[in-house]
Amino acid sequence: MQALKEKILTEGKIREGNILKVDCFLNHQMDIKFFNEMGKAFKERFKDVKVDKILTIEASGIGIAAIVSQYFDYVPVVFAKKTESLNLDKEVYEAEVHSFTKKKTYKVRVGKNFLNKGENVLVIDDFLAQGCATKGMMDILNQAQANLVGIGIVIEKGFQDGRKVLEEMGAKVESLAIIDRFENNTVIFK
């Protein structure tokens, strides 16, 4: 998606450790008009797939997943919670996830009443690096016996193993922008 690449180049900031900071439009402050453009792009990439639900992980995936839902006839968006809560049902699907940016492993949970056997689920997330968060969501879908119909990623770090790992697990991965590398404090796209 050319517009996303341009937005990354003009508004993104590269931090130490190959961290791309895009919090001004994606994962802290959200540019909703631009999210709509990304929603249309995901619909185009998954237009031949029946989607019953969208699954993401809190917190950064929620905004884009909600917008994407509009382009799939407002299917429900379910998000895996990272923290235990008194208002979370006792019956949950649970998976371990390691965060690349936070350097922390935690459990994510989805109430069993929100994912059903045989449902077609599209996973949406903001970033793909090592694939840990997405693998956790795939684990939850397997526990629910739901069907993974695809994985939509806003920004993929193509120089890391996430895509390879997910595709080897049989997933269809579609990323709106794929970073090849960081060079001289600039993002180079594939």
Side-chain angles (χ1 to χ4, degrees):
M1 184 179 172
Q2 190 59 38
L4 175 58
K5 291 177 183 177
E6 290 169 12
K7 199 159 185 73
I8 291 168
L9 290 173
T10 58
E11 298 180 34
K13 293 179 176 67
I14 301 168
R15 298 288 189 235
E16 190 176 322
N18 288 330
I19 303 295
L20 176 62
K21 191 171 164 81
V22 288
D23 59 350
C24 58
F25 70 89
L26 181 62
N27 52 19
H28 196 84
Q29 173 175 275
M30 296 182 285
D31 182 336
I32 301 304
K33 186 174 181 182
F34 193 71
F35 272 36
N36 271 298
E37 295 307 309
M38 292 188 292
K40 290 176 195 172
F42 280 126
K43 175 60 179 175
E44 179 60 29
R45 291 172 188 231
F46 293 103
K47 66 183 174 191
D48 298 325
V49 186
K50 180 183 184 298
V51 175
D52 299 313
K53 287 191 179 160
I54 294 173
L55 176 64
T56 193
I57 195 166
E58 71 175 354
S60 299
I62 297 172
I64 187 65
I67 297 293
V68 170
S69 167
Q70 296 177 101
Y71 296 96
F72 289 91
D73 296 322
Y74 296 94
V75 298
V77 173
V78 177
F79 64 92
K81 293 189 173 208
K82 293 180 183 176
T83 56
E84 288 190 72
S85 171
L86 292 175
N87 65 359
L88 186 63
D89 292 335
K90 302 256 186 273
E91 295 289 317
V92 295
Y93 299 114
E94 189 173 83
E96 280 199 355
V97 170
H98 181 77
S99 170
F100 175 77
T101 51
K102 294 179 180 144
K103 296 180 170 88
K104 178 181 172 184
T105 298
Y106 49 89
K107 290 185 181 189
V108 294
R109 298 162 185 86
V110 172
K112 287 187 176 182
N113 54 322
F114 297 119
L115 291 174
N116 302 300
K117 181 178 181 177
E119 284 184 317
N120 293 326
V121 181
L122 174 63
V123 170
I124 296 289
D125 208 359
D126 60 341
F127 271 91
L128 174 61
Q130 298 293 339
C132 297
T134 309
K135 282 186 347 190
M137 288 186 280
M138 290 172 70
D139 182 8
I140 285 172
L141 290 176
N142 285 335
Q143 291 172 51
Q145 297 178 24
N147 305 315
L148 173 67
V149 296
I151 298 168
I153 301 294
V154 177
I155 301 170
E156 175 184 340
K157 292 181 175 179
F159 55 89
Q160 292 184 309
D161 292 333
R163 174 182 288 271
K164 181 180 180 220
V165 167
L166 300 175
E167 288 180 341
E168 285 175 354
M169 294 173 73
K172 174 187 179 186
V173 180
E174 290 286 344
S175 299
L176 300 183
I178 302 174
I179 297 170
D180 185 53
R181 66 189 181 282
F182 297 111
E183 190 174 279
N184 299 322
N185 209 35
T186 302
V187 177
I188 310 296
F189 296 100
K190 279 193 173 188

